């Protein structure tokens, strides 16, 4: 029932940290330059457990990241996506983090770029949308308006037209065969 929200408070009270936790859980994106920078000093990992409602369904995302074990290696990230049911949690995660992230984006009907250009004005980046090139603005607006639905409908229409063309071709072949037989009627 909330249509517009404003998080306010004094500097240093955690407003941006709260939003960073949400965007990192949902999209793996935050103000930090790397996931390692999200880890509190002296700690070895960061974890966000976030529940939200989309449509009529309740979902849960758990995103964890641990520091690399050696200077030459990279940190490990774990992403889990779950549906909250009365019986407990049903796993929706894909085989890989990338597949799981795509499932989350499809569930939200929004990627991070669309979010920061439509629903969330980042501190110091209120002009994010206007600084984009025309093609990028068109893509963001297409995502906001969910125009990809029309692309999918176009593909379905093309496929249906192709199937009908094949059916017409098959029927014409059968009719031609029948006409050929009928042309020999006198001989028969």
């Amino acid at each position: 029932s909330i249509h517009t929200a404003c998080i306010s408070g004094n500097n240093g009270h955690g407003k941006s940290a709260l939003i960073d936790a949400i965007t990192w859980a949902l999209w793996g994106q935050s103000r930090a330059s790397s996931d390692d920078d999200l880890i509190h000093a002296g700690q070895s990992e960061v974890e966000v457990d976030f529940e939200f409602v989309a449509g009529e369904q309740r979902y849960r995302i758990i995103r964890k990241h641990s520091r690399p074990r050696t200077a030459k290696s990279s940190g490990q990230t774990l992403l889990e996506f779950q549906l909250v049911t009365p019986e407990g949690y049903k796993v929706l995660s894909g085989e890989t983090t990338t597949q799981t992230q795509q499932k989350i984006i499809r569930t939200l009907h929004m990627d991070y770029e669309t979010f920061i250009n439509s629903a969330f004005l980042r501190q110091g980046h209120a002009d994010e949308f206007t600084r984009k090139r025309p093609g990028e603005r068109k893509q963001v607006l297409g995502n906001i308006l969910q125009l990809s639905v029309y692309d999918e409908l176009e593909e379905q229409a093309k496929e249906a037209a192709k199937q009908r063309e094949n059916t017409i071709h098959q029927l014409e072949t059968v009719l031609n065969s029948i006409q050929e037989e009928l042309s020999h009627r006198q001989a028969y």
Side-chain angles (χ1 to χ4, degrees), residues 170-187:
Q170 290 171 351
L171 290 173
E172 285 175 343
T173 302
V174 169
L175 283 175
N176 287 339
S177 176
I178 292 171
Q179 289 293 348
E180 178 67 28
E181 286 293 316
L182 286 175
S183 70
H184 300 299
R185 186 176 189 178
Q186 289 296 338

Side-chain angles (χ1 to χ4, degrees), residues 156-174:
Q156 291 174 4
K158 285 180 180 177
E159 184 61 34
K162 188 185 297 181
Q163 289 176 354
R164 284 181 178 73
E165 284 291 324
N166 287 340
T167 301
I168 289 169
H169 180 68
Q170 290 171 351
L171 290 173
E172 285 175 343
T173 302
V174 169

Side-chain angles (χ1 to χ4, degrees), residues 54-74:
E56 301 294 319
Q57 298 292 323
R58 186 173 201 82
Y59 297 94
R60 177 184 187 196
I61 295 175
I62 301 171
R63 191 180 295 261
K64 298 178 185 180
H65 181 77
S66 57
R67 288 193 195 279
R69 297 189 197 284
T70 65
K72 293 182 181 180
S73 65
S74 59

Side-chain angles (χ1 to χ4, degrees), residues 15 20 23 44 50 56 61-62 65-66 70 77-79 88-89 93-94 116 129 131 137 146 159 168 176:
K15 300 177 298 296
D20 276 343
T23 60
S44 61
F50 181 63
E56 301 294 319
I61 295 175
I62 301 171
H65 181 77
S66 57
T70 65
T77 299
L78 170 75
L79 177 61
Y89 298 106
S93 301
I116 64 170
F129 181 75
R131 288 188 292 134
R137 287 196 301 265
Q146 297 181 356
E159 184 61 34
I168 289 169
N176 287 339

Side-chain angles (χ1 to χ4, degrees), residues 116-117 120-129 131:
I116 64 170
N117 284 286
F120 173 54
L121 297 177
R122 292 188 305 162
Q123 186 175 359
H125 294 271
D127 61 346
E128 184 91 24
F129 181 75
R131 288 188 292 134

Side-chain angles (χ1 to χ4, degrees), residues 131-143:
R131 288 188 292 134
K132 292 195 174 301
R133 293 188 305 251
E136 293 170 329
R137 287 196 301 265
K138 180 180 176 184
Q139 180 65 42
V140 168
L141 287 173
N143 290 345

